Amino acid sequence: MREELIISGRNNYLIDPVLHIWHWQIPLYLFLGGLAAGVLFFAALFKILGKENEYPSAVKIAPMIVPFLLILGLFALFLDLKHKLYFWRLYTTIKLQSPMSWGAWTLMAVTPLSFIWAALHVKEVFPKWKWPHKMFDDLESILKKYILEIAWFILVFSVILGVYTGILFSAFNARPLWNTSILGPLFLASGLSTGAAAIMLLSKSETERKRFAKIDLMLIAVELFLIVHMFMGFLASTQVQIDAASLFLGGEYTAPFWIFVVGFGLVIPAILEILELRKYHIPVYISGSLVLFGGIMLRFIIANAGQASRWLY
Amino acid sequence: MRYAMAVDTKKCVGCSDCVVACQTENNVPIGFCRDWVVEVTDGTYPQLEIEIRSERCNHCNNSPCVRCCPTGASHYSDGGIVLVNSEKCIGCGACIASCPYDARYSHPDGYVDKCTFCIHRVKKGQDPACVAVCPTKCMYFGDLDDPKSPVSVVLKKRKYKTLIPEAGTQPELYFLI
């Protein structure tokens, strides 16, 4: 028996007995960031492939919500900071070793790009839209000439944003559950999947919905593969990582993870999407909402469980 | 110059004088601590061993907190001491999440705080408050590059260990065993 007792009254708030430095703000922000990355990725991809008329929701309609998602996410992030008025210090430093630093800079690039993308399509989505000043019309016609170049930038930055939402956790060696590079691709796949789900929910075209149901199905398969891969990696690793994995394999996070993330978030929507593709009539909003729910739960559970996994004590 | 501290687990009685001295010296807000005492019971009854350790920031040579800090607030100062610049800290919590020793806390004023090896005292030629106050004289502090410093002398004579060496942080807090 090995037992460690703390006798000095080590009782640092938010750290003892379980680290809880990141609350709802960070997982919410990671979810919104991943969702925004997913929507932007498909918008840019189908624009580059020249399929904007085939997939109008992906290229034009869904990106309208992205600036709001990003602003909401950044606001959540701002609420998480303890020294809120110093947030601008993020932009006086470039630290390549810090994922949080390059995440801040990625958002600095993605957020204006998402505004530009929405602005370039706003007249097609809302035909009555009028810019308040002629300057905006001029700017719009200039930027429209470079729309393919903008799409390429968005494609690249959306992948970086999606991967970053996972790598942010991976960089913490001190939290064995997070310290796996699988989280980058897993969160990217999940972000793309939630993006596809949002496009499905906003689409009025049957072919577009079916196409995105197929894409989502592939992404769910990738996510399930990565989750299995993650646990195989943990169980083949050191004792701290085996302990971390056991939080999900019999420990206190087992039921929420397997029921909410894997069950409701991945397996059930996958079954519903397969049935839908086989021409059963299943309302698309059920599978779409479940995927979004699974995406939120994945981030909340990984964020909380990661803080419960540690080396000491 | 490489500042380090050694704590003799055979001499420490766990009185927590070091904790109180630190809180007083550094004006640590009530309910928080920069150092603390851990009692570890090891073995199977009736063969039990107890180890008492006074712990604090390990001032690692390969500090994950310095690496992940997005603003450069966490940095290496003179002699490898890891410090937080409260003027640069945005309180994002990345360094707290990255420390395997859980040695940092969020100060109520919004920035992250932790042990500084009492750099303000060391610069004046004094020992850190915890070392100065220890009634059993179980703590040794000094420059590892100076062979005559108390910490160098005691580490030459005694067996020692560091905490969680497998985390790869290369701590400068040694425990004499």
Side-chain angles (χ1 to χ4, degrees), chain A residues 44 48 117 146-158:
Chain A
I48 291 166
W117 193 264
Y146 299 101
I147 194 154
L148 271 182
E149 284 82 353
I150 294 172
W152 273 107
F153 269 111
I154 289 183
L155 193 74
V156 172
F157 276 110
S158 65

Side-chain angles (χ1 to χ4, degrees), chain B residues 26 28-29 34 84 103-107 111-116:
Chain B
N26 296 298
V28 177
R34 287 183 179 186
V84 184
R104 295 169 163 243
Y105 68 93
S106 194
H107 194 284
Y111 54 88
V112 171
D113 195 29
K114 65 171 205 62
C115 162
T116 60

Side-chain angles (χ1 to χ4, degrees), chain A residues 1-7 313, chain B residues 37-53 55 161:
Chain A
M1 182 198 73
R2 182 178 166 82
E3 205 176 340
E4 296 203 351
L5 296 173
I6 301 166
I7 57 165
Y313 316 128
Chain B
V37 177
V38 177
E39 182 182 307
V40 184
T41 312
D42 222 340
T44 314
Y45 181 82
Q47 270 96 37
L48 293 171
E49 272 183 20
I50 286 180
E51 180 177 282
I52 301 173
R53 300 192 299 253
E55 295 184 359
K161 65 172 182 186

Side-chain angles (χ1 to χ4, degrees), chain A residues 30 161-171 178 180 183-185 187-188:
Chain A
L30 294 178
L161 178 63
V163 173
Y164 144 73
T165 59
I167 295 290
L168 180 72
F169 283 150
S170 296
W178 290 346
T180 162
L183 285 187
F187 276 39
L188 173 66

Side-chain angles (χ1 to χ4, degrees), chain B residues 14-72:
Chain B
C15 68
S16 295
D17 227 11
C18 49
V19 180
V20 179
C22 170
Q23 287 167 330
T24 314
E25 173 71 29
N26 296 298
N27 218 352
V28 177
I30 291 176
F32 294 91
C33 53
R34 287 183 179 186
D35 61 349
W36 59 93
V37 177
V38 177
E39 182 182 307
V40 184
T41 312
D42 222 340
T44 314
Y45 181 82
Q47 270 96 37
L48 293 171
E49 272 183 20
I50 286 180
E51 180 177 282
I52 301 173
R53 300 192 299 253
S54 170
E55 295 184 359
R56 61 201 38 62
C57 170
N58 284 246
H59 296 278
C60 310
N61 284 312
N62 180 21
S63 304
C65 51
V66 172
R67 229 180 303 136
C68 76
C69 174
T71 64

Side-chain angles (χ1 to χ4, degrees), chain B:
Chain B
M1 198 160 53
R2 195 154 58 96
Y3 286 121
M5 190 182 281
V7 180
D8 192 340
T9 61
K10 304 278 187 212
K11 273 203 217 163
C12 178
V13 292
C15 68
S16 295
D17 227 11
C18 49
V19 180
V20 179
C22 170
Q23 287 167 330
T24 314
E25 173 71 29
N26 296 298
N27 218 352
V28 177
I30 291 176
F32 294 91
C33 53
R34 287 183 179 186
D35 61 349
W36 59 93
V37 177
V38 177
E39 182 182 307
V40 184
T41 312
D42 222 340
T44 314
Y45 181 82
Q47 270 96 37
L48 293 171
E49 272 183 20
I50 286 180
E51 180 177 282
I52 301 173
R53 300 192 299 253
S54 170
E55 295 184 359
R56 61 201 38 62
C57 170
N58 284 246
H59 296 278
C60 310
N61 284 312
N62 180 21
S63 304
C65 51
V66 172
R67 229 180 303 136
C68 76
C69 174
T71 64
S74 281
H75 64 283
Y76 298 108
S77 183
D78 304 339
I81 294 183
V82 176
L83 294 180
V84 184
N85 181 343
S86 62
E87 289 288 302
K88 276 192 182 176
C89 177
I90 57 173
C92 67
C95 58
I96 297 178
S98 80
C99 175
Y101 308 102
D102 283 346
R104 295 169 163 243
Y105 68 93
S106 194
H107 194 284
D109 287 347
Y111 54 88
V112 171
D113 195 29
K114 65 171 205 62
C115 162
T116 60
F117 268 170
C118 280
I119 183 76
H120 60 287
R121 288 173 57 93
V122 173
K123 275 182 180 164
K124 285 190 258 174
Q126 297 169 319
D127 272 335
C130 53
V131 178
V133 82
C134 178
T136 64
K137 303 264 179 278
C138 80
M139 276 184 260
Y140 305 84
F141 179 81
D143 176 9
L144 277 185
D145 289 340
D146 171 8
K148 286 182 194 143
S149 76
V151 68
S152 302
V153 172
V154 77
L155 287 180
K156 244 174 255 154
K157 279 197 291 197
R158 296 275 301 272
K159 269 194 188 171
Y160 58 83
K161 65 172 182 186
T162 54
L163 295 182
I164 333 177
E166 60 274 30
T169 56
Q170 301 168 24
E172 288 294 11
L173 179 60
Y174 298 88
F175 292 94
L176 306 174
I177 48 176

